[in-house]
Amino acid sequence: FLLHVKLALYQVNEKASSYAKMLFIYAVLNAAISIVLLMFFISGADGRLYGQVLSIVIMGSISIYVLFKSDLLGFNFRKAYLRNILSFGLPLVPHSLGSLLLLTTDRIIVNDSLGLKIAGLYMVAVQISLGFELLTSSINKAFVPKLYAVLKNDRLDEKLKIVRLTYLMFMVYLLFVSVLCLMSGFILNLLAGEEYVIASSVLKWLLIMQAIH
């Protein structure tokens, strides 16, 4: 939670380099701790789980320190703030649960209907498509603060520029996805192995979905 708070502050303040550095440190820390645990201490899924937990705890502690140092975190309790947080946050709980359900339902259906082998192929395609989602998500997060700044200024010429830029981004996404779809078999063979190339037909649709989303 604290890590996401700090990342959100970087995003709102348009500090893209700081945002990228913090995410990079978290990714490296997550991978390093997991590898060390799996190789020397805890084998199997537990080692990976503990690696994720430890990396989150470390990054959360760093986030607390940075927030305190920047005078953005204190212990002043105000009922008005609590009411605002609850009035805004509680209605979003069903939405969050619905998002979690959407993320897991497809895997359950594929596993129950087509079997564990097909579910494995599907999950490989999903994981690779998330690499493209990471790219588009990063671009969108950098774009959103600028969008709201333009909307706040309420100038027609700036709004038209945003519209043109949005159409241009969408066209670039579709062009890039088209290339990735043509290379889907090669990508699967390179990242997962020849036995997973059959999942290329699924990967194409997932990439198109990520571009439109």
Side-chain angles (χ1 to χ4, degrees), residues 6 10 61-74:
K6 189 57 186 171
Y10 282 144
S61 302
I62 293 173
S63 299
I64 291 174
Y65 171 76
V66 174
L67 288 170
F68 266 120
K69 190 176 179 181
S70 305
D71 293 326
L72 295 172
L73 187 64

Side-chain angles (χ1 to χ4, degrees), residues 79-135:
K79 290 183 178 180
Y81 287 173
L82 180 61
R83 282 195 298 268
N84 288 335
I85 291 170
L86 292 177
S87 63
F88 178 79
L90 286 179
L92 293 177
V93 172
H95 170 73
S96 299
L97 293 175
S99 299
L100 179 62
L101 187 63
L102 287 173
L103 287 172
T104 55
T105 301
D106 58 340
R107 303 164 198 187
I108 296 172
I109 293 174
V110 171
N111 186 34
D112 289 343
S113 303
L114 302 175
L116 187 60
K117 181 180 178 180
I118 301 299
L121 293 171
Y122 173 74
M123 283 308 303
V124 169
V126 169
Q127 290 300 317
I128 293 176
S129 71
L130 288 177
F132 179 67
E133 192 272 339
L134 179 63
L135 173 65

Side-chain angles (χ1 to χ4, degrees), residues 22-93:
M22 198 156 195
L23 272 185
F24 178 75
I25 292 171
Y26 170 65
V28 171
L29 192 65
N30 191 354
I33 293 175
S34 298
I35 291 171
V36 170
L37 289 176
L38 288 169
M39 291 181 65
F40 301 107
F41 298 101
I42 306 171
S43 60
D46 288 344
R48 175 65 180 130
L49 179 61
Y50 284 123
Q52 287 183 307
V53 171
L54 285 173
S55 60
I56 290 172
V57 169
I58 293 171
M59 291 304 298
S61 302
I62 293 173
S63 299
I64 291 174
Y65 171 76
V66 174
L67 288 170
F68 266 120
K69 190 176 179 181
S70 305
D71 293 326
L72 295 172
L73 187 64
F75 295 103
N76 295 326
F77 178 77
R78 298 184 182 181
K79 290 183 178 180
Y81 287 173
L82 180 61
R83 282 195 298 268
N84 288 335
I85 291 170
L86 292 177
S87 63
F88 178 79
L90 286 179
L92 293 177
V93 172

